Amino acid sequence: MSLLRHDVRREPLAELSRFRGEFYSCLTARSDALFELTDAVLCGDGPVRSLAELSLVGEHRRGHGGLYAALAQGRVDADRMRQALASVPLPRAADGRLVLAVDVTCWLRPDAHTSPERILCHTYGRGKDQHIPVPGWPYSIVCALEPGRSSWTAPLDALRLVPGDDTATVTARQLRDLIERLIASGQWQARDPDVLVIADAGYDAPRLAHLLRDLPVQVLARMRSDRVLRRPAPSRQPHTKGRPPRHGGEFVFGQPDTWGTPDTETVTGTRLYGTAVARSWDRLHPRLTHRSSWAAVDGTLPVVEGTVIRLDIERLPSGATPKPVWLWWSGTGADAADSDRLWQAYLRRFDIEHTFRLLKQTLGWTCPKIRAPEAADRWTWLVLAAYTQLRLARPLAADRRRPWERPALADRLTPARVRRDFRHIRPQATCPARAPKPPRPGPGRPLGRKNARPAPRHDVHTPRKRQPTKRRTKKSATPRPRRTDEEPR
C-alpha cells in the first residue's frame, strides 16, 4: 500500500518541483529573497496581513529589510513567467475544451498619493445601488475554469491597466498572446475544439470576437438587458433601387413581441436554481457605429453575427427574485445541446470570484502598501505563482481541518485547506533558493536628519471629463433601449 501511494504521489510531486524550478529561473534579481517570500506566503499560519510578518515565518530565512528590498529592487521575467503558467497541466471541460474566464479586479489605493498610474476603479457592494469610484490599480486576470462545482481555477496571466488603455483592445491583445502561448506549449492541438472565452457584461463581446476572429476562439459574454440587436438583412428583391440594407429587423431584449419563435428551447432541472429555461435565437448582431471602441475603424464596419441565449431560472440561493440573463455567443447555428453547454459554462465564470477573494483575503495580494506600480507587479506574480503551487500540490495535500470543521474528501479540498498542509509538502519538493549570507547593515539616515527628498505626489487618472448632468432622483422603470454598440461609461 505504501509503494502504491508513493507511485501516485510521484508524478504530482515531480510537476510541483518542475514548476518551482522554473519559477526560480524567472526571478532574475534578488531571486533567493523573492522565492523565500513566496514560500512564506504558502507556509504562513492564517491569512497574510502584512509583509513584515512574513519575515517571521520559518521558511523565510532573511530579515524584513531584505524582504522589502527584494520587492523594490528585484526583477521578475514576466514573459517567462507567463510561459511557465501556460505549461502546467490545465483543467478542461467535459468535451476536452479549454474554458477561459477574463475579468478585471482592482487593487484599491485611495490614500497612496505618492503612487503613480492610479485609475478610478468602480467598486460594487459598498452600499445599496452604489458604485463608488476609488483610486487604485486595475488588473486584467485570465483564468482557466474547471468543469464541475469547485472554487479552483488556473490563473494564466495578469496585466495591469495603465492610464489611457482601452479595455477591449488590451484584453484582446492579452487573450491573443495567451492563446498563442497555449498553442506553442501544446495545450491546444489542431483537432481540439475551439477555446471558449467567457466574460461579463462589462466587455464588448462582438468587438472581442472580431479582434480574435483569426484564432480558434469562441466568445461568450453576458449582455445588458436594455440592448437592441439586429436580425440578418432581408434578401434583396429584383429591380430594387438604392443601397442594399445591412441590417434586418430589431430584436429588443425588453420587448418580447420582437423576439419571434426561438430556434432552440430547453428545460433543465438544477439543484440550486430550480427549473432553468434556455431559449436561443440565431444570427443576431449589434448595429455598429463609428463611436466608442469602433471610432478608429476606417471604412465599412463589420457585421458580427452570433447567437443570443436567454436564461430564466426559478429561484436564487439567496432568496432574491431572479432576473433573466442574456448571453451572446460568437458562434452561429447552435442546437439545444450547445445552448445548454453554453449557459452552464457561463455559470462557472463566477469561480473566478472565489480566486479573487482567496488572492486578496488569504494570500494577501492587496495588503502591502507598495508605492511603485512595478513593485506591485512583482508582488502580483509572486502571489499567482503561490496559487499555482497550491493547485499543483492539491493531490498531495492532507485534510488538516480545524476541530469545528467538517471532514472533506481528498479531491474536494479548498485552496485554503491545501495551504494548511503545504508546509509539510515543501520539504519533499525542490527548493533552489540558497542560504542567506551574513548581513551587514547599512549606515542608514543619521539620527535627527529629515528626509531631504520627499516622494513626489501624483494625481489620479480620469478617463475623460464629462459634462455635468442633472442627477436623477428616481430610477426609470422603463429604461430606454440602446440601439447602438456604445457601452455606458
Side-chain angles (χ1 to χ4, degrees):
M1 181 64 68
S2 59
L3 293 178
L4 179 60
R5 179 177 176 81
H6 179 72
D7 294 339
V8 172
R9 294 171 57 91
R10 180 182 302 173
E11 184 175 354
L13 189 59
E15 185 63 32
L16 176 61
S17 299
R18 187 199 65 80
F19 177 78
R20 286 171 62 86
E22 184 64 23
F23 169 58
Y24 183 79
S25 302
C26 298
L27 309 176
T28 56
R30 307 268 180 162
S31 54
D32 297 328
L34 291 176
F35 189 87
E36 289 191 357
L37 174 59
T38 308
D39 279 354
V41 172
L42 290 169
C43 301
D45 295 329
V48 176
R49 299 303 183 189
S50 68
L51 290 179
E53 292 181 356
L54 290 178
S55 63
L56 303 178
V57 180
E59 284 72 13
H60 190 274
R61 298 174 292 179
R62 290 160 173 84
H64 64 278
L67 183 150
Y68 283 101
L71 285 180
Q73 304 174 12
R75 287 194 301 270
V76 178
D77 190 346
D79 295 335
R80 186 168 182 176
M81 187 67 197
R82 290 186 174 97
Q83 188 62 41
L85 294 177
S87 302
V88 298
L90 299 179
R92 297 176 181 270
D95 57 352
R97 185 190 309 268
L98 281 173
V99 181
L100 306 180
V102 57
D103 203 355
V104 174
T105 184
C106 301
W107 184 340
L108 301 181
R109 299 301 310 277
D111 300 328
H113 302 291
T114 60
S115 296
E117 300 183 3
R118 291 184 301 159
I119 304 176
L120 287 179
C121 306
H122 289 278
T123 58
Y124 305 93
R126 292 178 174 263
K128 184 177 181 182
D129 297 333
Q130 291 184 358
H131 308 314
I132 304 175
V134 179
W137 292 316
Y139 279 84
S140 175
I141 297 182
V142 184
C143 297
L145 303 180
E146 292 194 356
R149 294 177 54 205
S150 173
S151 58
W152 289 91
T153 62
L156 297 176
D157 193 16
L159 182 65
R160 179 172 52 86
L161 302 179
V162 300
D165 279 348
D166 178 65
T167 304
T169 304
V170 172
T171 304
R173 183 171 65 248
Q174 181 185 19
L175 290 172
R176 174 178 294 275
D177 296 340
L178 175 59
I179 297 300
E180 291 176 353
R181 288 195 300 271
L182 293 176
I183 295 176
S185 59
Q187 299 284 3
W188 187 89
Q189 304 292 336
R191 296 182 180 180
D192 293 344
D194 292 345
V195 179
L196 182 62
V197 176
I198 304 178
D200 205 7
Y203 290 87
D204 189 353
R207 178 163 176 78
L208 279 179
H210 177 71
L211 295 176
L212 302 175
R213 62 188 181 277
D214 58 330
L215 294 176
V217 173
Q218 297 176 358
V219 178
L220 175 67
R222 183 172 66 91
M223 279 191 167
R224 292 165 55 96
S225 59
D226 59 350
R227 292 300 298 268
V228 178
L229 301 185
R230 296 299 188 96
R231 301 183 186 275
S235 58
R236 186 176 177 84
Q237 300 297 329
H239 310 291
T240 303
K241 298 181 180 181
R243 187 178 63 178
R246 302 186 71 240
H247 311 286
E250 289 185 342
F251 185 95
V252 186
F253 286 4
Q255 299 179 9
D257 56 338
T258 63
W259 299 348
T261 305
D263 295 315
T264 64
E265 183 173 359
T266 60
V267 179
T268 308
T270 62
R271 186 180 66 89
L272 290 178
Y273 307 104
T275 303
V277 180
R279 289 172 287 177
S280 68
W281 293 265
D282 195 18
R283 298 189 62 190
L284 296 177
H285 64 275
R287 183 175 68 87
L288 306 180
T289 57
H290 286 89
R291 291 184 294 179
S292 185
S293 57
W294 299 94
V297 178
D298 298 332
T300 305
L301 292 173
V303 175
V304 186
E305 291 186 339
T307 302
V308 171
I309 302 174
R310 175 187 166 102
L311 176 64
D312 295 277
I313 59 177
E314 182 180 359
R315 63 177 182 272
L316 288 174
S318 61
T321 302
K323 297 181 180 180
V325 177
W326 292 92
L327 305 176
W328 187 88
W329 178 49
S330 59
T332 56
D335 54 13
D338 291 333
S339 179
D340 282 342
R341 175 179 60 85
L342 290 171
W343 71 259
Q344 292 176 12
Y346 176 78
L347 294 183
R348 297 265 61 84
R349 190 205 72 85
F350 295 97
D351 293 343
I352 196 174
E353 303 296 339
H354 297 288
T355 300
F356 291 161
R357 185 171 65 245
L358 179 83
L359 297 182
K360 295 180 179 181
Q361 298 182 3
T362 303
L363 301 185
W365 174 44
T366 58
C367 289
K369 307 303 181 182
I370 297 177
R371 175 185 298 175
E374 295 78 13
D377 294 342
R378 298 186 194 102
W379 174 246
T380 300
W381 286 119
L382 297 186
V383 173
L384 292 185
Y387 184 90
T388 303
Q389 294 183 56
L390 290 179
R391 191 172 63 85
L392 296 178
R394 185 179 174 185
L396 307 172
D399 184 17
R400 299 185 180 275
R401 64 185 182 91
R402 302 289 188 259
W404 54 85
E405 293 177 343
R406 294 182 179 179
L409 299 177
D411 57 344
R412 300 296 298 176
L413 294 178
T414 62
R417 288 203 180 188
V418 174
R419 179 172 175 261
R420 296 175 187 173
D421 193 44
F422 194 86
R423 173 170 289 174
H424 303 85
I425 301 175
R426 177 181 174 273
Q428 308 173 31
T430 301
C431 186
R434 295 164 295 186
K437 298 179 181 179
R440 180 180 299 176
R445 186 189 309 166
L447 185 63
R449 180 179 297 182
K450 296 183 179 180
N451 185 11
R453 294 181 299 176
R457 292 176 173 263
H458 303 272
D459 295 332
V460 181
H461 172 75
T462 54
R464 64 178 180 178
K465 293 184 178 180
R466 303 176 62 181
Q467 297 296 333
T469 58
K470 185 177 180 181
R471 184 177 181 182
R472 294 184 301 177
T473 58
K474 184 178 180 181
K475 187 176 180 181
S476 175
T478 58
R480 181 182 178 183
R482 294 191 297 110
R483 287 177 165 79
T484 61
D485 62 297
E486 186 178 5
E487 294 287 346
R489 294 285 178 172

